[in-house]
């Protein structure tokens, strides 16, 4: 008697094995594209070791508004405003605005007592930081006019500013820059290993993203807080209300033709989460927001790699000016597209389809013969040196080959990730050495611990991105309770 289920299973195995043999070209194309999208970051890592853009002292003092969205931040917002009041910049040119966004504490009262202009936004259906900023910019437009201030700073309530922060950012603004981000340090670096992973992440961003792009006059990415932009950026109001408004602003700014630069001398301090539960919640929100930002802005960036509506010929141009401008703009679009592209999602999907599904069925059909176990990491190379050869597996066609094919792919993936883990530890050691002078004092044993735990930042980010692909995520505030002041940091700096 013919078994229909056996026939179906056999045909399915034949089809999937056939696809494995005849889709190598597709796997190769995807692999090449992901290599191109990833390799663009490598020169920045090298250039950022040695160079960053420097700005001449400003000739003019410009008038700024400092914009602070706050949700139940009575414990920390006073210290931020104090650090602003102690800037070496003319205070008459600084106006501090706070939006007490759906607050249930005394944030508004503290802000007003400290001298800030405070608006209260109460709408439970508008709970992201972006909605608070939109409400605040609408109020500024009504009461003062957007053009009343030449530029706008955005800070989170837990931030603290080094005494010359605004002066240094004014150097960049006076040089004609329209969007500028700054050096993000951490005020609770040594509180625990969770806070340290964030602190090292921001330092890595400085060294591998911001510094090199500023030298090359390209667009780095805005990271939530500690940045300045010209009033023209918000002439039509603030429109970024997603889970990660910074990513959306970055993408739209590049599409609009703006360079986003970085000032290495403008230092501010940020408070990082110390609770694993809070960190996981925040990282999941980031991951969802990054996916949303790519969905909203990815096509615009990709299109502008080929279409330039912003670079124009000028009467004073030399022959090379316009070609350079349009090339730079197109490359900025490509570069920002690469930053927004959810590469982890694409890579894991590629691995599941081609390695975890198709390859095992090919093993079932053809067997395993001279299958080289090579993860491509230094761990694998060390193993080969120890045993003197590649490890191979030979099995006849059938279910055993199918199961072994799955196990081999999982093992190679694990080995690859372990290798990346040790590479990240080396990266943390480098950051502690190269950024030593700007860090608060940290005991040596903690530095060793933080180097070992640092790779968990990328591990968490990778898996929260997988979860965010399927899970609905809501914005929730991150609690800030640190009592650290700018005086404490100055006394505890290296």
């Amino acid at each position: 008697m013919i078994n229909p289920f056996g026939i179906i299973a056999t045909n399915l195995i034949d089809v999937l094995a056939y696809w494995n043999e005849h889709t190598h070209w597709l796997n190769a194309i995807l692999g090449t594209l992901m290599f191109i999208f990833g390799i663009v970051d490598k020169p920045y890592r090298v250039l950022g070791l040695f160079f960053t853009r420097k700005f001449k002292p400003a000739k003019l003092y410009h008038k700024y508004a400092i914009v602070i969205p706050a949700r139940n931040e009575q414990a920390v917002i006073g210290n931020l405003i104090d650090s602003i009041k102690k800037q070496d910049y003319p205070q008459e040119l600084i106006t501090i605005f706070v939006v007490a966004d759906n607050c249930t504490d005394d944030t508004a009262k503290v802000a007003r007592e400290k001298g800030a202009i405070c608006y209260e936004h109460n709408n439970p259906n508008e709970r992201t930081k972006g909605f608070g900023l939109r409400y605040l910019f609408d109020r500024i437009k009504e009461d003062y006019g957007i053009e009343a201030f030449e530029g706008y700073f955005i800070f989170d309530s837990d931030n603290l500013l080094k005494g010359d922060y605004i002066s240094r950012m004014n150097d960049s603004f006076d040089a004609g820059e329209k969007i500028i981000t700054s050096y993000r340090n951490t005020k609770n670096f040594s509180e625990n290993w969770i806070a340290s992973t964030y602190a090292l992440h921001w330092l890595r961003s400085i060294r591998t993203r911001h510094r090199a792009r500023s030298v090359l006059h390209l667009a780095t990415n805005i990271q939530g807080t500690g940045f300045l932009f010209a009033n023209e950026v918000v002439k039509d109001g603030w429109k970024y209300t997603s889970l990660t408004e910074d990513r959306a602003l970055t993408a739209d700014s590049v599409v609009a033709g703006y360079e986003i630069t970085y000032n290495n001398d403008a230092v501010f301090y940020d408070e990082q989460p110390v609770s694993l539960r809070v960190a996981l919640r925040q990282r999941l929100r980031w991951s969802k927001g990054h996916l949303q930002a790519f969905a909203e802005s990815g096509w615009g960036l990709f299109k502008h790699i080929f279409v330039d509506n912003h670079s124009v010929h000028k009467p004073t141009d030399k022959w090379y000016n316009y070609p350079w401008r349009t090339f730079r703009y197109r490359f900025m679009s490509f570069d920002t597209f690469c930053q927004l592209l959810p590469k982890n999602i694409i890579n894991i999907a590629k691995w599941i389809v081609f390695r975890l599904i198709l390859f095992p069925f090919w093993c079932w059909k053809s067997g395993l013969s001279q299958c080289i176990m090579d993860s491509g990491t230094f761990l694998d190379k060390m193993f080969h040196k120890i045993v003197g050869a590649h490890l191979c597996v030979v099995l006849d066609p059938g279910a055993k080959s199918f199961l072994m094919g799955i196990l081999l792919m999982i093992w190679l993936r694990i080995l690859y990730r372990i290798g990346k883990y040790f590479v990240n530890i080396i990266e943390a050691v480098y950051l502690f050495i190269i950024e030593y002078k700007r860090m608060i004092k940290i005991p040596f044993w903690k530095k060793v611990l933080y180097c070992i735990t640092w790779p968990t930042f990328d591990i968490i980010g990778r898996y929260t991105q997988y979860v965010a692909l399927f899970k609905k995520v809501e914005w929730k505030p991150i609690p800030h309770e640190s009592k650290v002041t700018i005086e404490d940091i100055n006394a505890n700096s290296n």
Side-chain angles (χ1 to χ4, degrees), residues 57-62 64 169-177:
K59 296 180 180 178
L60 298 174
Y61 289 117
H62 296 271
Y64 299 114
M169 291 291 274
N170 186 61
D171 293 340
S172 301
F173 194 83
D174 194 58
E177 298 303 322

Side-chain angles (χ1 to χ4, degrees), residues 307-351:
V307 178
D308 179 4
N309 296 325
H310 300 284
S311 300
V312 295
H313 288 281
K314 298 178 182 179
T316 57
D317 276 351
K318 295 183 179 179
W319 67 268
Y320 55 81
N321 290 140
Y322 173 76
W324 168 245
R325 276 200 306 272
T326 188
F327 170 78
R328 187 170 67 90
Y329 173 72
R330 293 168 192 267
F331 185 80
M332 282 198 308
S333 298
F334 170 74
D335 190 28
T336 307
F337 176 85
C338 292
Q339 292 183 66
L340 283 181
L341 184 69
K343 292 186 278 290
N344 286 335
I345 298 293
I346 297 173
N347 283 329
I348 194 65
K350 177 174 171 287
W351 178 76

Side-chain angles (χ1 to χ4, degrees), residues 397-452:
K400 288 184 178 180
S401 289
F402 172 79
L403 293 174
M404 182 57 71
I406 294 175
L407 292 175
L408 282 174
M409 291 300 102
I410 293 174
W411 166 248
L412 291 178
R413 187 77 177 179
I414 292 173
L415 195 63
Y416 173 77
R417 287 299 170 200
I418 292 174
K420 286 288 187 180
Y421 183 95
F422 283 105
V423 169
N424 279 10
I425 289 177
I426 296 172
E427 188 176 54
V429 173
Y430 155 74
L431 290 172
F432 272 117
I433 294 172
I434 203 72
E435 297 292 344
Y436 167 76
K437 290 184 178 180
R438 288 186 164 183
M439 292 181 183
I440 62 173
K441 294 176 182 176
I442 303 173
F444 179 77
W445 70 269
K446 280 193 174 184
K447 291 181 180 179
V448 174
L449 172 64
Y450 295 162
C451 287
I452 295 171

